[in-house]
Amino acid sequence: MTRPILLQGGHVIDPSRDVDGVADVLIQDGKIASVGRGLTAPDGALVRNVKGRVVTPGLVDLHVHLREPGNEDEETVASGARAAAAGGFTAVCAMPNTDPVTDNQAAVGFIVRQSGRAGLARVHPIGAVSIGQKGERLAEFGEMVSAGAVAVSDDGKPVVSSHLMRTRLGLKGIPAAAEEIMVARDVLLAELTGGHVHLCHMSARGSVAIIREAKERGIRVTAEVTPHHLTLTDHACEEYDTHAKMNPPLREAADVAALRGALKDGVIDCIASDHAPHSYDEKEAAFDDAPFGVVGLETAFAVAHTELVESGLFTLPELIRRMSTEPARVFHLAGGTLAPGAVADVAVFDASAKWAVDPTAFHSKSRNTPFAGRALTGRAVLTIVGGAIVHDLDHSGTR
Ligand SMILES: [Zn+2]
């Protein structure tokens, strides 16, 4: 059993219950025991003064790539879970495009075991839709779900066959050139089957319009957007910086504005990092040859906080809703709330901390970020998973 923890005097933001004010949070037996003023610490409790800091449900990321098995030099389940904890994330969902592909019960079970062994942020596996992500034969969803998969996706290799997408557990990626067509198709299939489709990394304003209409018609569709698509435009690629090469690509200012508006009003449900580690050598290639993707777990909160909250566009509770409460709801994950009785997945932020992104300081094994050197505001100082401290910036060395 972990020691009880009393977080004293923090600014508690819990969008699941519209809590936004100063309070203590008591954690006991891995659960939220109570939230309120003047709570007393039980015997043996660790008491932490978090005055001036923000206490929230831990962030939840529905879309990361952790490269294990197959490319452990770029990331492992453990290093990804460590990077997640450092970024204030208590749970992440790992995409199945590993080597071999996570397309069966044993492969899903491997990720679950590696996550448990690391004991950091929770890593929930996402199973592949098709065997080997070849888009031909369906994988065994039932077996993967019973082993711990929380969704299925062929992210990165979009499901081309509409027939294959007629499932109740659809989740997939979208090629840049055809994003709107794929979004429209998936929305129609969700309507036809009554299934839930979650649309990954939306980047185009036309997609936003389709999702808005689908939601108005009551179709079960949810969507995510990355911090980079919310904050960068195609200008970031002008110097042929391969760290700005991602799929879907960065687009125009009008797209960024539409994505921000859609996130604000809930047409897009949540922010997901699409954390995609790549080795230095791979990204040193010519722009056309370099792989797609950027790392994001250790910059996601600060980038979103600096660009959306400091700019006055979002309130901090609105941002926490989009990075914790809503993603947990979309995939029916524990967390996303500080309600008494809920699992004690908690993050504490210093919302005024100013820092510059130094990729060499990342816990991730990869450094491919378009935000290197960027001055940001806001940082996770304490991350708690199931009542255990997994990241502690003030007392580094804890883990
Ligand atoms: Zn991805």
Side-chain angles (χ1 to χ4, degrees):
M1 262 307 135
T2 51
R3 208 175 154 192
I5 300 173
L6 181 63
L7 302 173
Q8 266 181 336
H11 174 181
V12 177
I13 293 176
D14 179 5
S16 77
R17 299 186 303 146
D18 288 324
V19 171
D20 182 8
V22 172
D24 302 338
V25 175
L26 177 63
I27 294 164
Q28 250 178 321
D29 301 330
K31 301 231 157 62
I32 304 291
S34 52
V35 178
R37 298 267 193 142
L39 300 182
T40 16
D43 282 348
L46 171 73
V47 180
R48 188 64 75 83
N49 178 356
V50 290
K51 209 162 164 252
R53 299 204 157 155
V54 179
V55 181
T56 76
L59 306 183
V60 176
D61 193 337
L62 298 185
H63 188 156
V64 304
H65 300 268
L66 300 186
R67 307 301 185 210
E68 184 182 1
N71 286 92
E72 289 86 350
D73 58 318
E74 296 180 340
E75 202 76 288
T76 61
V77 170
S79 67
R82 180 70 191 87
F89 290 91
T90 50
V92 300
C93 298
M95 283 293 182
N97 62 332
T98 45
D99 183 13
V101 170
T102 307
D103 61 4
N104 62 73
Q105 191 172 20
V108 167
F110 171 74
I111 306 289
V112 170
R113 277 197 309 282
Q114 292 299 77
S115 168
R117 206 167 283 158
L120 297 159
R122 302 171 197 277
V123 178
H124 299 293
I126 292 175
V129 173
S130 60
I131 308 240
Q133 290 193 311
K134 291 194 168 71
E136 292 160 4
R137 282 189 304 134
L138 274 184
E140 285 282 354
F141 294 175
E143 287 184 0
M144 291 194 293
V145 169
S146 67
V150 294
V152 293
S153 171
D154 273 3
D155 169 62
K157 293 183 181 173
V159 180
V160 177
S161 160
S162 296
H163 182 69
L164 260 194
M165 275 306 289
R166 289 179 66 165
T167 74
R168 294 192 63 85
L169 274 174
L171 174 92
K172 51 163 295 304
I174 295 113
E179 179 172 300
E180 290 160 29
I181 294 170
M182 298 296 255
V183 167
R185 183 200 73 170
D186 289 352
V187 162
L188 290 171
L189 285 171
E191 184 173 34
L192 180 69
T193 61
H196 167 212
V197 170
H198 178 71
L199 300 159
C200 293
H201 43 51
M202 292 293 94
S203 68
R205 55 192 188 271
S207 304
V208 168
I210 297 167
I211 299 165
R212 189 183 301 275
E213 198 208 308
K215 286 195 165 184
E216 281 166 6
R217 285 163 59 202
I219 299 171
R220 293 178 62 208
V221 54
T222 53
E224 68 185 35
V225 61
T226 70
H228 40 279
H229 288 108
L230 284 168
T231 56
L232 299 174
T233 65
D234 48 4
H235 290 299
C237 300
E238 272 169 6
E239 313 274 302
Y240 297 100
D241 178 2
T242 59
H243 290 155
K245 182 177 177 182
M246 61 255 320
N247 187 10
L250 297 172
R251 301 191 193 272
E252 298 168 10
D255 295 295
V256 172
L259 293 168
R260 289 177 170 201
L263 185 70
K264 171 97 179 171
D265 62 22
V267 166
I268 292 178
D269 301 79
C270 56
I271 294 177
S273 73
D274 195 10
H275 178 80
H278 287 292
S279 69
Y280 177 81
D281 288 350
E282 275 188 313
K283 278 288 193 182
E284 274 304 284
F287 196 84
D288 274 349
D289 301 329
F292 295 106
V294 297
V295 289
L297 283 168
E298 291 167 84
T299 52
F301 174 79
V303 166
H305 180 258
T306 304
E307 296 281 333
L308 303 180
V309 178
E310 295 272 292
S311 68
L313 227 52
F314 282 60
T315 64
L316 188 49
E318 283 174 331
L319 180 64
I320 299 301
R321 179 181 293 280
R322 300 283 165 225
M323 295 189 79
S324 173
T325 305
E326 284 302 305
R329 185 189 60 81
V330 164
F331 275 9
H332 310 287
L333 304 175
T337 178
L338 298 176
V343 67
D345 287 7
V346 182
V348 179
F349 294 96
D350 180 346
S352 57
K354 297 202 182 303
W355 60 292
V357 177
D358 172 9
T360 65
F362 283 165
H363 294 281
S364 168
K365 287 193 173 188
S366 291
R367 312 270 178 257
N368 52 306
T369 173
F371 297 110
R374 179 78 71 107
L376 299 174
T377 306
R379 191 156 210 187
V381 291
L382 187 68
T383 308
I384 296 170
V385 174
I389 293 174
V390 296
H391 165 70
D392 192 348
L393 201 62
D394 294 334
H395 301 71
S396 17
T398 302
R399 209 60 212 230

